[in-house]
Amino acid sequence: MSNKKHLVILSGAGISAESGIKTFRDSGGLWEGHEVMEVASPEGWRKNQKLVQNFYNQRRKQLLECEPNQAHLILAEMEKDYKVSIITQNVDDLHERAGSSTVIHLHGELKKAQSSVDPSLVYELDHWEIKEGDTCEKGSQLRPHIVWFGEQVPKMDEAMEIVSTADIFVVIGTSLQVYPAAGLVDFVPVSSKVFLIDPVNPAVGFNKKVFYISENATSGIKTLEKMLKTEI
């Protein structure tokens, strides 16, 4: 059995931004010029499938042009010294492409499609576009494999279990405003060390001491490495 400490990372849009991936939501609450519920809800899908499909096709096309940044690569390298589990709110595959071996996607995966009648039917995509008429084995139109507002977060139980075994818990690039993901902080063991890497320290309801690293993802993870080596 490995005696490596369990390092659990909760990552958000801030880590992918350094790879050139736009955060979906801007300061006005719009997602690429659209109201959130138009492109990220079952109601929006029922109302205008073409709009929703195009929105995610363009996000997928952009992703194919992006590469993992140094923050992703450092986290993958940390598997040499720690048991690393990454729980991400991001729908890109940059953690995997950087070499991380355990990645849980809370909000789905952009490079996958799912049946619009049976969410258990999920398919890998080797291209950026889901077209009208692309169907699952049940004959239903394929939709983005994204957890929309109002839908269950299927990986939540697995994420809670992982967090509950963390020796070190690190939040990177997320303001922890989106639930249920933000609720994961409640499952961090009392004995764990908690670090929060973000240029703007968000108000987080940890009932314990938090080490704040007020930096962007890459420089913050480098600082984290130094702090862990000195065994705070």
Side-chain angles (χ1 to χ4, degrees):
M1 182 180 289
S2 172
N3 60 358
K4 290 180 179 178
K5 288 187 176 180
H6 191 190
L7 172 62
V8 178
I9 307 290
L10 176 61
S11 71
I15 194 169
S16 294
E18 293 178 40
S19 289
I21 292 184
K22 299 176 186 175
T23 56
F24 280 10
R25 196 184 308 205
D26 64 22
S27 58
L30 299 179
W31 284 22
E32 296 291 312
H34 299 287
E35 292 290 343
V36 173
M37 300 307 281
E38 286 182 1
V39 293
S41 70
E43 293 76 18
W45 171 254
R46 287 192 290 268
K47 183 179 177 182
N48 193 338
Q49 287 189 20
K50 187 175 181 179
L51 171 70
V52 174
Q53 207 75 276
N54 183 62
F55 177 85
Y56 291 98
N57 283 343
Q58 293 306 313
R59 307 287 77 70
R60 204 175 292 112
K61 187 177 183 181
Q62 181 201 18
L63 174 58
L64 294 175
E65 300 167 355
C66 295
E67 297 293 336
N69 61 58
Q70 202 173 0
H72 295 107
L73 295 170
I74 293 171
L75 288 179
E77 282 287 311
M78 290 179 81
E79 292 190 13
K80 292 176 181 176
D81 300 312
Y82 301 92
K83 174 187 175 183
V84 181
S85 299
I86 296 176
I87 301 166
T88 186
Q89 294 171 270
N90 300 332
V91 295
D92 61 65
D93 64 341
L94 297 180
H95 282 300
E96 288 92 337
R97 278 200 260 158
S100 289
S101 58
T102 303
V103 184
I104 306 298
H105 288 269
L106 289 178
H107 297 157
E109 296 179 64
L110 198 52
K111 290 175 73 173
K112 292 182 179 180
Q114 72 183 57
S115 166
S116 53
V117 297
D118 184 350
S120 70
L121 296 176
V122 178
Y123 306 88
E124 296 276 353
L125 295 172
D126 59 5
H127 53 284
W128 62 270
E129 189 175 22
I130 300 176
K131 297 178 181 178
E132 186 177 351
D134 289 347
T135 59
C136 71
E137 60 212 61
K138 293 185 175 180
S140 180
Q141 173 65 44
L142 292 178
R143 54 159 272 188
H145 181 52
I146 302 294
V147 178
W148 288 329
F149 289 99
E151 294 183 325
Q152 292 292 317
V153 180
K155 298 279 189 179
M156 197 62 193
D157 287 346
E158 185 178 357
M160 289 187 294
E161 192 170 322
I162 288 171
V163 171
S164 71
T165 64
D167 296 304
I168 305 160
F169 183 71
V170 184
V171 178
I172 305 172
T174 171
S175 60
L176 292 174
Q177 298 302 306
V178 177
Y179 283 83
L184 287 172
V185 300
D186 297 332
F187 294 87
V188 179
V190 175
S191 59
S192 299
K193 290 175 182 173
V194 178
F195 298 83
L196 198 154
I197 300 171
D198 198 283
V200 180
N201 296 341
V204 184
F206 284 103
N207 294 320
K208 60 184 298 170
K209 182 179 179 181
V210 178
F211 296 98
Y212 286 96
I213 301 173
S214 302
E215 301 171 37
N216 64 21
T218 295
S219 62
I221 291 172
K222 289 178 180 177
T223 299
L224 171 70
E225 279 193 300
K226 293 174 184 173
M227 294 173 78
L228 291 178
K229 283 174 182 173
T230 58
E231 287 296 322
I232 293 174

